[in-house]
Amino acid sequence: MLSNNLLTENILDQVARLPADWRATLDQPELQNILATLAKWLDKECQDGAVIYPAAPFRALELLPLQKVSVVILGQDPYHGPDQAQGLSFSVPDTCPAPPSLRNIFKELELEYPQPPLPPSHDLSNWGRQGVLLLNTSLTVEDGLPASHAKKGWEQTTDALLMNLAQQSTRPIVYMLWGAHAQAKEALIQQQAQCPHLILKANHPSPLAARRPPVPFIGCGHFRLANEWLTQQGATPIQWFATGA
């Protein structure tokens, strides 16, 4: 059975459909050159038989205009199995079993909210619609090969998106930086942020790191901390247990 999350469309065609505020970032000449090179390489990889995910690499941006971002959850690269990656960090369809990192996210949510109003949805789309930017630093991956599209141009692209978000947003933003890869973006955020922001740091939710020092993910309290801070700033908290449909 053919996976339904395969990349088949040229990424430049997808960029052209993005909300205007995100598209303005990607329309900068330097990024246009990077994306054009990346698009050509991805097209060639697909023509040569590579299986690449996801079908919609920019879905995090499609769901959420720049000026509505209130939380950023930064991942590394998409899940590399069939029917998993959706273009949203850590999210999979509800028809797909929760990967280990997502299971640990749910464990942390259950610690912070012992009596959830609803079971958590594997599909985190509703977080995106509420203001959570679920962004990976690389937006595509080859089947079965984690980090296979690192250093192909995606990092410059997503760095520019983070930089322009920090510069242009008129809203308070919480940045959840889990693991060393995400935390490497802290300096960029701090240097560029023009509005109130809160940076929360912990280990990655992967089973390899979630319970280890220096800051275990399990027990970090980030979801409650984010909502408390947003409320203090006069912003709307996130309903973490809303369904993803």
Side-chain angles (χ1 to χ4, degrees):
M1 182 177 176
L2 187 65
S3 173
N4 63 7
N5 69 325
L6 298 178
L7 180 67
T8 58
E9 183 183 20
N10 185 282
I11 62 169
L12 297 182
D13 294 333
Q14 299 193 32
V15 168
R17 297 196 300 269
L18 289 175
D21 48 8
W22 293 121
R23 199 171 63 249
T25 300
L26 301 179
D27 281 346
Q28 298 172 22
E30 180 180 352
L31 283 177
Q32 283 187 323
N33 291 336
I34 289 170
L35 285 168
T37 300
L38 184 54
K40 184 176 180 180
W41 178 76
L42 287 168
D43 285 351
K44 178 69 162 55
E45 289 290 294
C46 290
Q47 290 164 10
D48 289 346
V51 174
I52 295 172
Y53 310 121
F58 300 98
R59 186 153 177 256
L61 309 182
E62 294 170 359
L63 282 180
L64 183 60
L66 185 151
Q67 288 297 345
K68 292 188 177 180
V69 175
S70 56
V71 177
V72 176
I73 297 180
L74 195 61
Q76 187 163 353
D77 65 343
Y79 295 121
H80 51 85
D83 302 320
Q84 290 183 308
Q86 300 175 293
L88 306 172
S89 61
F90 298 104
S91 178
V92 295
D94 278 328
T95 54
C96 181
S101 292
L102 185 58
R103 291 201 299 270
N104 277 336
I105 288 172
F106 293 157
K107 286 178 184 178
E108 175 57 26
L109 277 167
E110 289 166 8
L111 285 176
E112 298 183 37
Y113 298 92
Q115 295 180 313
L118 294 166
S121 174
H122 298 181
D123 181 349
L124 305 181
S125 299
N126 200 275
W127 290 10
R129 295 187 188 99
Q130 292 183 73
V132 182
L133 181 64
L134 295 157
L135 186 69
N136 285 313
T137 55
S138 290
L139 300 187
T140 56
V141 71
E142 186 170 350
D143 178 69
L145 297 173
S148 51
H149 290 186
K151 299 181 181 178
K152 299 293 186 182
W154 281 128
E155 292 87 352
Q156 295 100 309
T157 302
T158 52
D159 278 0
L161 292 167
L162 287 170
M163 182 177 69
N164 285 7
L165 172 65
Q167 289 175 339
Q168 297 176 25
S169 177
T170 58
R171 299 164 59 99
I173 298 178
V174 179
Y175 295 87
M176 296 184 180
L177 305 182
W178 300 334
H181 185 85
Q183 289 162 19
K185 308 301 180 184
E186 181 180 9
L188 180 153
I189 294 163
Q190 295 280 33
Q191 290 166 7
Q192 303 297 331
Q194 302 299 308
C195 284
H197 62 283
L198 173 67
I199 292 180
L200 299 174
K201 296 187 290 184
N203 285 6
H204 195 276
S206 161
L208 298 174
R211 296 183 183 274
R212 294 184 177 181
V215 184
F217 175 80
I218 301 297
C220 69
H222 282 186
F223 299 101
R224 277 195 178 274
L225 288 170
N227 275 352
E228 289 168 1
W229 186 82
L230 288 170
T231 300
Q232 291 167 5
Q233 299 296 319
T236 303
I238 305 300
Q239 300 299 315
W240 298 112
F241 290 92
T243 61

